[in-house]
Each structure stands twice: as structure tokens, then as C-alpha cells.
Amino acid sequence: MTHEGQHKPNPFSTVAKAMEVAEYTFLITDNPNKFKDYVVKEKQNEDGTVSKMYIWRNDSLTNRVRDLANYIYVLSWTANEIDLRYQPERKAERLSKQVEAISKCDVMLAEIQLCRKHFHLNHRKVMYWGGLVRDTRKALEGWHESDKDRYKDI
């Protein structure tokens, strides 16, 4: 229930926040000079030049952070796609996806701290990145509570 002057959480803006987390995470982790969780393979080109390929290790901290950001976005998006006006039997699934996305935000905040130490990221960058995740988590929590109240009789 909202009070006068407050607005209901907007799932579209929540999904947009989750997308922003994913986009920024991919942007920041695409820097191979900073995020050195990769193997460099050199390839001989037909013209005799050598190209370098950066291949991310599957078990890397970088991959975990990227996967978490992707999961947060996908869980938010898929929860939003469950329209309870037409699929009331999927209420538990929608609420569960929201809770899982919130949980992934918590894990991602911990992983960002590991990235800060491991990759020597500057404080300002980490604060911005973490702020995006915290804002997304807060929006997800508001959306979840709003859905619980709104659909309590389903």
C-alpha cells in the first residue's frame, strides 16, 4: 500500500535498473588491462600478422560477476513477463524470481568487494558500481512487497 505522495514501484523501471547493472558490469569487466582473468592466445593471420585473443577462464571472478549481473536482469525481466491478471497460478513463480534477483544482488555486492581487492579497482568506481546494485536491490524489494500486497488475494 502506498501513502499519499509516494508512488508504487514500477516494474519497468526496476527491470531497467537491472539492465543498467548488467550493462555497466559488462562495460567495466571488458577491460583486459584491469580484469586479468583471461588467457591470451595468439593467432597467426593469413597476412603474417599476429592477433591476440582474450579468452576468459570459466571459473574466474570476472565471469562470476558477469553471470550475476546477467541473472539479476534475466530474473527481473522474466518475473515481469508473468502477468498475474492472466496467469494467477504463476504468482509463486513471479514472487520467487523477484526474491532470487534480490538474493543475487546481495551476492554481487560481495563479489564486487572481491573485485575491488583482486583487481585493485579505485574506490569511486566501486562505489558507483555497488550503488547501481544497491539501487536495483531496493527497487526489487519495493516491487516484491508491492506485488505481495497487490496480489494477496490470488
Side-chain angles (χ1 to χ4, degrees):
M1 174 156 202
T2 61
H3 300 286
E4 193 171 317
Q6 293 180 327
H7 58 84
K8 291 183 180 180
N10 182 344
F12 297 114
S13 67
T14 302
V15 173
K17 285 180 183 297
M19 182 187 288
E20 188 178 1
V21 167
E23 288 173 340
Y24 187 75
T25 300
F26 289 126
L27 176 73
I28 193 173
T29 58
D30 270 345
N31 181 350
N33 295 323
K34 199 53 130 164
F35 285 81
K36 297 181 179 177
D37 274 352
Y38 57 84
V39 176
V40 179
K41 291 202 174 186
E42 292 186 354
K43 175 185 164 192
Q44 185 78 28
N45 298 325
E46 291 178 7
D47 63 0
T49 61
V50 176
S51 297
K52 290 184 180 179
M53 288 179 30
Y54 297 95
I55 301 171
W56 297 106
R57 293 193 327 245
N58 289 335
D59 62 343
S60 72
L61 177 56
T62 304
N63 275 346
R64 288 197 314 265
V65 169
R66 291 168 71 103
D67 287 347
L68 282 165
N70 188 58
Y71 290 145
I72 292 165
Y73 169 64
V74 169
L75 287 165
S76 302
W77 187 84
T78 55
N80 191 52
E81 288 296 303
I82 299 170
D83 191 337
L84 296 180
R85 294 172 300 174
Y86 306 107
Q87 301 170 308
E89 71 281 359
R90 295 183 68 193
K91 174 185 170 186
E93 181 184 355
R94 177 175 165 124
L95 294 174
S96 174
K97 287 181 183 300
Q98 293 167 343
V99 168
E100 190 175 354
I102 293 165
S103 176
K104 297 282 186 200
C105 287
D106 292 335
V107 175
M108 185 159 180
L109 288 169
E111 295 282 14
I112 288 172
Q113 288 305 311
L114 286 175
C115 286
R116 178 176 176 250
K117 295 283 189 183
H118 186 71
F119 300 118
H120 309 288
L121 302 179
N122 73 45
H123 180 73
R124 190 175 46 110
K125 194 169 284 198
V126 170
M127 291 302 294
Y128 178 76
W129 194 10
L132 289 175
V133 177
R134 281 189 294 280
D135 289 349
T136 300
R137 181 183 64 195
K138 185 175 179 180
L140 284 162
E141 288 169 343
W143 179 29
H144 180 70
E145 289 303 316
S146 174
D147 270 10
K148 280 188 349 189
D149 287 343
R150 182 177 177 192
Y151 299 114
K152 67 179 174 251
D153 295 329
I154 290 181

